[in-house]
Amino acid sequence: MPRACYAGVVLLFRGHYPRGMYDLNVGLHRWAARVVAYGTLLTDVYPPFRLDQGEREPVADEPLP
């Protein structure tokens, strides 16, 4: 919100949007989108630690050979 106010004031007095302000704004939005994407993809579940790449996955109820 504050960046939009600064941009409005700059546009009012200068008549064009400065390239540096545009680059800063785009960079901040990209960074925020990456942080949100990273945070939403986090999970508490660890991947299984198995090195076996056999035909089928073992079931937890089956006894091990």
Side-chain angles (χ1 to χ4, degrees), residues 3 6 9 11 13 15 19-21 26 30 33 35-36 41-45 47 50 54 56 58 62:
R3 289 185 303 254
Y6 296 142
V9 170
L11 283 171
F13 289 108
R19 182 66 185 187
M21 186 179 283
V26 168
R30 285 180 181 170
V35 169
V36 168
L41 292 174
L42 286 177
T43 180
D44 289 338
V45 179
R50 285 193 298 265
R56 64 182 188 90
E62 291 180 4

Side-chain angles (χ1 to χ4, degrees), residues 47-62:
F49 185 71
R50 285 193 298 265
L51 299 177
D52 182 16
Q53 300 293 323
E55 292 181 14
R56 64 182 188 90
E57 291 290 320
V59 179
D61 297 338
E62 291 180 4

Side-chain angles (χ1 to χ4, degrees), residues 4-33:
C5 294
Y6 296 142
V9 170
V10 169
L11 283 171
L12 180 66
F13 289 108
R14 294 188 71 191
H16 70 281
Y17 198 69
R19 182 66 185 187
M21 186 179 283
Y22 171 80
D23 291 338
L24 175 68
N25 201 8
V26 168
L28 290 173
H29 281 287
R30 285 180 181 170
W31 179 81

